[in-house]
Amino acid sequence: MSTEAPLKIAVTGAAGQICYSLLFRIASGSLLGDRPIELRLLEITPALKALEGVVMELDDCAFGNLVNIEIGDDPRKVFDGVHAAMLVGAMPRKAGMERGDLLSANGAIFTAQGKALNDVAADDVKVLVTGNPANTNALIAMKNAPDIPASQFNALTRLDHNRAKSQLAAKLGVPVTEVSHMTIWGNHSATQYPDLFNAKVGGKNAAELVGDEAWIENDFIPTVAKRGAAIIAARGLSSAASAANATVEHMRDWILGTPEGDWVSMAVPSDGSYGVPEGLISSFPCTVKDGKYEIVQGLELGEFSRAKIDASVAELVDERNAVTELGLI
Ligand code: NAD
Ligand code: LMR
């Protein structure tokens, strides 16, 4: 085990289905290798009993790097001094619902948690929102935490990024490791834009290798963008293990850095790059060094890509207007 001080990691929705995978991945070292960690687990009061059962199972794994676990229903206690916060806890959508339907149901969770993080988290806390609608929930948390720099709030589009890589690799019959420079632009919703024009396969342009714009438009993009709904239809429940995997990968890369020569998709507060209005939490191609992300600059966007990005960003503007009207930001 490393001799570094334990990193305090908060996870919300800890008795839910994503966390039933996520907590064990974090504790087994998928996040930070052998660095010691302390888990701070937040749930609503009625779910604390179930969470005690999850903690019993974590104990029964005898993970060497997991030095302490605390649970509770008070974000001000659970978030005290945390360096990383994974905000997973929120209601998932059911069959037939769009993510926008969750705005009012879940938005209020993130005002309280943003305020608590603002008051008690470590100054360098990294906050990653997985709970849907993830981009706008991250915006709510960020706006309710005025003392924490905006750049410390991200939302998850890594699952979409991984879905896009996997669909492209299957189409071209190559291992997924050949796919690089994938980008998800915009919202984690059906309007998201997975971009094959800047992606590469074996170092070559992905769109050119596919050579079939109709497939990109009518097959690839909707398959990736509606994958969440397809999983709900098949499983009767929203994606969980793959969402946990993506949450770990996003936070790991944010803390430890992205691989040399590639980028990942992260929903981060826009600085105006690529014409996305400043402050919206929108997905971009990002690299990370020394714990700080940067939006990759200078990518070419043709007319098709521009229109797709604009449509997803317009949805983010609508969501921001809706939560403003609800008094959440
Ligand atoms: P789940 O219903 O199994 O678990 C959610 C948990 O959150 C429950 O245990 C609930 O008690 C808890 N919770 C509710 N309010 C809370 C609060 N105020 N504080 C702490 N905990 C609270 O749901 P799940 O399948 O684990 O999904 C969680 C969220 O993640 C959903 O919103 C889902 O839509 C979203 N999700 C996002 C992605 C993504 O890629 N961004 C992917 C899959 C799922
Ligand atoms: C997903 O993408 O799998 C999740 O966001 C669940 C959903 O509601 O689609």
Side-chain angles (χ1 to χ4, degrees), residues 143-296:
K143 290 284 189 190
N144 281 278
D147 302 329
I148 301 176
S151 60
Q152 290 171 220
F153 289 85
N154 284 186
L156 188 75
T157 49
R158 184 63 169 265
L159 177 53
D160 312 291
H161 177 99
N162 290 342
R163 288 167 171 164
K165 285 177 72 169
S166 168
Q167 291 296 324
L168 176 61
K171 167 75 175 170
L172 293 175
V174 299
V176 77
T177 46
E178 290 288 298
V179 178
S180 66
H181 301 86
M182 183 59 73
T183 308
I184 304 295
W185 299 90
N187 200 1
H188 170 66
S189 77
T191 67
Q192 67 178 264
Y193 174 51
D195 176 2
L196 289 195
F197 296 94
N198 286 296
K200 292 184 181 164
V201 177
K204 299 198 179 102
N205 182 276
E208 281 169 24
L209 282 176
V210 168
D212 180 354
E213 293 207 6
W215 179 81
I216 294 176
E217 183 168 6
N218 304 323
D219 212 326
F220 171 74
I221 294 173
T223 299
V224 173
K226 295 182 184 163
R227 186 71 162 182
I231 288 169
I232 292 170
R235 236 168 68 83
L237 288 169
S238 73
S239 62
S242 55
N245 177 64
T247 303
V248 167
E249 289 189 344
H250 181 130
M251 188 58 93
R252 184 198 63 209
D253 286 352
W254 196 5
I255 295 173
L256 298 179
T258 42
E260 203 56 43
D262 199 1
W263 65 63
V264 296
S265 303
M266 299 168 74
V268 303
S270 176
D271 58 359
S273 292
Y274 297 101
V276 178
E278 210 174 323
L280 282 182
I281 301 210
S282 189
S283 187
F284 290 99
C286 291
T287 54
V288 181
K289 209 172 169 204
D290 301 327
K292 303 225 179 306
Y293 68 79
E294 277 186 16
I295 297 173
V296 175

Side-chain angles (χ1 to χ4, degrees), residues 47-132:
L48 285 176
K49 179 85 186 150
L51 181 54
E52 282 171 18
V54 176
V55 172
M56 287 160 73
E57 287 205 68
L58 282 164
D59 287 343
D60 293 350
C61 293
F63 290 121
N65 305 313
L66 181 55
V67 297
N68 192 27
I69 309 175
E70 287 183 25
I71 71 170
D73 56 5
D74 179 353
R76 299 182 63 86
K77 285 191 186 142
V78 172
F79 292 161
D80 189 27
V82 298
H83 302 281
M86 299 177 179
L87 306 187
V88 179
M91 187 180 93
R93 69 182 168 140
K94 312 277 178 337
M97 287 169 83
E98 279 305 321
R99 288 179 182 80
D101 298 330
L102 297 176
L103 271 183
S104 53
N106 287 338
I109 295 174
F110 294 85
T111 56
Q113 292 183 2
K115 288 189 171 94
L117 286 163
N118 190 62
D119 292 347
V120 302
D123 289 346
D124 65 352
V125 65
K126 289 178 163 59
V127 183
L128 171 60
V129 177
T130 296
N132 278 319

Side-chain angles (χ1 to χ4, degrees), residues 1-4 6 34-37 63-67:
M1 185 163 94
S2 128
T3 52
E4 283 176 284
D34 67 355
R35 171 143 190 201
I37 56 166
F63 290 121
N65 305 313
L66 181 55
V67 297

